[in-house]
Amino acid sequence: MTSNANLQQRRVAAVPRGVGNAYAIFAESAKGAEITDVEGKRHIDFAGGIAVMNTGHGHPKIIKAVKDQLDKFSHTCFQVNPYESYIRLAERLNKLAPGNTPKKTIFLTTGAEAVENAVKIARSYTKRSGIIAFSGAFHGRTLMGMALTGKVAPYKTGFGPFPSDVFHVPFPDPALNDGGAQSLKILETLFKADIGPDNVAAIIIEPVQGEGGFNVVPFEFMRSLRDICTKHGIMFIVDEIQTGFARTGKMFAHEHSGIEADMITVAKSLAGGFPLSGVIGNAEIMDGPAAGGLGGTYGGSPIGCAAANAVLDVMEEEKLVERANIIGKLMTDRLNDMKKRNSFGNRISGIRGLGAMVACDVVKSDGSPDAELTKAITQKAGENGLILLSCGVYANTLRFLMPLVAEEKLIHEGFDILEKTIAQAIEGSAKVA
């Protein structure tokens, strides 16, 4: 019988170490919010393929749409022979994107590719070069994506030099509770000290930081950035790659702040597990590059477009936007209850989230980040049948991204496992010490 251990040995021998794995647990099948490994063990999925499976594993409507498309054709390249599903999906996203400005959409393959193209479009339209991002941000693993990313290890280590004219501003500090006022002051200083606003093509931000620790951008800060961009002719790019498609209790997370972005980068849950990304933007801005300046051989594949159109149907029919808010409250209630009832309650801090994008921090008794215990918790969770991810600048954040189709009974079962797991991990770390 094929085992996880055997496959891990083969994986180490055949795949570069730079491709990390959260677990040496190899999937054999998956359905809804559960994964079965090659040894037949069931695992509750609190990771969702890193926010890709909002509609769950193997949704029958999405699988049918993909099978139907495969019976027709798998690839023509949209730039050679276009197809209706690409256009229909673009039309739907143009309508769903916040704001009344006419929109256009281009489809690509990966989130990083979407970010790259948003930067290209911004530079083409403005005829400027500067891009401003934020500390703790994650925008991909391409050279431009890494330049924009505001976390060194492991994403930037050993890969420089990076593209020039990229600048970082500190992400609003929740401890200050100032609505991002300090970050705005630093941005104004940046305009005076490093790059004038008339040389900035775009500001890019995640409305809830993903790898940075599930930090929610203050809504008033988003509105201030929108005003600054409008004042100076800067393109405002909102990276919704992890936050989009119902995850935060809105179709797009920046809807919470009531602003309209110039461009939105999307990927992950757009196509329910099939590779597809995109940039949705102001039609005039999107038409900035000349014909042939944008594209890619596999961009907007017919398989991905078929899946994505089905995803949008499922989200509407099963009311997954509303479902995200229900799941989010369930998660925060369980975490707060867990913190109150257990002796390890002081080791859990900063419970936060927006909709079903929820996280908490693991800390030492003195309140400082505890990356070692966080790693122990995630590893022990895997042993106990729970797929759980960490993140954060200090690697001490537990993040919860279960599929939005998960039943409440299953979510409670997952949190029962988590509660047991934390106690076991703390006990194990005490023995080692």
Side-chain angles (χ1 to χ4, degrees):
M1 184 184 78
T2 301
S3 68
N4 287 311
N6 174 258
L7 284 173
Q8 179 63 8
Q9 287 180 342
R10 291 169 57 190
R11 176 255 182 274
V12 169
V15 181
R17 66 172 185 166
V19 183
N21 293 109
Y23 298 102
I25 296 171
F26 291 79
E28 176 68 21
S29 62
K31 194 73 175 174
E34 299 176 71
I35 296 172
T36 302
D37 70 17
V38 293
E39 296 177 3
K41 184 177 180 180
R42 165 183 173 266
H43 302 265
I44 296 174
D45 185 7
F46 271 20
I50 316 182
V52 168
M53 307 308 297
N54 286 359
T55 49
H57 298 280
H59 194 289
K61 185 156 194 170
I62 299 168
I63 298 302
K64 181 180 186 304
V66 169
K67 287 182 176 179
D68 288 347
Q69 179 58 50
L70 280 171
D71 287 338
K72 297 174 182 177
F73 60 92
S74 63
H75 177 75
T76 63
C77 184
F78 186 77
Q79 293 125 264
V80 179
N81 292 108
Y83 29 91
E84 186 271 344
S85 58
Y86 185 118
I87 298 166
R88 176 158 42 98
L89 182 59
E91 290 170 340
R92 297 177 75 176
L93 292 180
N94 294 340
K95 289 181 181 179
L96 285 170
N100 297 319
T101 306
K103 307 290 195 302
K104 289 189 175 183
T105 296
I106 178 177
F107 293 113
L108 307 146
T109 307
T110 68
E113 196 178 358
V115 169
E116 293 268 349
N117 276 271
V119 170
K120 284 172 60 177
I121 294 166
R123 285 177 166 171
S124 175
Y125 181 76
T126 63
K127 307 301 187 252
R128 305 171 181 179
S129 61
I131 310 292
I132 296 173
F134 291 84
S135 61
F138 180 81
H139 296 294
R141 288 182 168 89
T142 57
L143 280 173
M144 176 56 75
M146 287 187 290
L148 294 169
T149 291
K151 183 180 178 183
V152 174
Y155 307 116
K156 294 185 174 187
T157 305
F159 294 123
F162 302 110
S164 61
D165 278 354
V166 172
F167 304 85
H168 286 87
V169 171
F171 187 85
D173 184 351
L176 295 177
N177 195 29
D178 65 350
Q182 184 183 70
S183 293
L184 289 174
K185 287 182 181 178
I186 295 171
L187 177 59
E188 289 300 324
T189 300
L190 179 73
F191 285 157
K192 290 178 171 55
D194 292 300
I195 183 170
D198 57 341
N199 285 319
V200 177
I203 293 176
I204 184 169
I205 193 168
E206 302 158 277
V208 183
Q209 287 193 324
E211 297 297 320
F214 278 34
N215 304 304
V216 180
V217 179
F219 300 154
E220 59 267 43
F221 184 71
M222 289 287 282
R223 292 190 284 268
S224 295
L225 288 180
R226 173 68 275 178
D227 291 342
I228 289 167
C229 287
T230 300
K231 176 182 177 181
H232 296 293
I234 298 168
M235 300 298 97
F236 192 21
I237 303 171
V238 179
D239 184 336
E240 291 266 11
I241 289 167
Q242 189 163 164
T243 56
F245 300 100
R247 173 54 56 181
T248 67
K250 299 281 188 183
M251 185 58 75
F252 298 105
H254 68 283
E255 291 182 64
H256 289 281
S257 61
I259 62 105
E260 180 177 358
D262 293 309
M263 284 180 277
I264 309 165
T265 58
V266 294
K268 290 192 181 285
S269 272
L270 167 61
F274 293 88
L276 187 69
S277 67
V279 182
I280 312 164
N282 177 302
E284 179 183 334
I285 295 165
M286 296 295 287
D287 278 339
L294 303 176
T297 302
Y298 295 106
S301 82
I303 305 300
C305 288
N309 276 303
V311 163
L312 294 182
D313 291 342
V314 169
M315 287 186 170
E316 182 179 354
E317 292 165 5
E318 300 187 15
K319 296 180 169 54
L320 295 190
V321 170
E322 296 85 347
R323 178 73 182 151
N325 290 314
I326 294 169
I327 290 176
K329 185 178 186 304
L330 188 160
M331 287 194 283
T332 53
D333 286 349
R334 280 300 306 257
L335 287 168
N336 282 309
D337 180 64
M338 190 184 306
K339 180 176 172 62
K340 288 177 184 176
R341 289 190 301 98
N342 289 279
S343 58
F344 60 71
N346 67 325
R347 309 297 295 275
I348 302 298
S349 175
I351 298 167
R352 58 192 178 277
L354 198 60
M357 195 169 180
V358 172
C360 65
D361 294 327
V362 178
V363 297
K364 298 177 182 178
S365 299
D366 63 3
S368 61
D370 196 335
E372 289 186 9
L373 180 58
T374 306
K375 185 175 182 179
I377 291 170
T378 57
Q379 292 306 301
K380 180 60 71 173
E383 296 173 15
N384 290 337
L386 177 66
I387 304 300
L388 180 66
L389 298 175
S390 62
C391 62
V393 174
Y394 300 103
N396 73 311
T397 299
L398 298 176
R399 54 175 162 169
F400 305 95
L401 288 166
M402 72 282 293
L404 300 178
V405 297
E407 296 180 356
E408 292 185 19
K409 180 180 179 182
L410 188 73
I411 297 172
H412 280 298
E413 182 184 354
F415 275 96
D416 290 342
I417 294 172
L418 175 65
E419 191 166 358
K420 175 181 73 174
T421 294
I422 294 174
Q424 290 174 336
I426 290 173
E427 181 181 354
S429 62
K431 288 179 180 178
V432 171

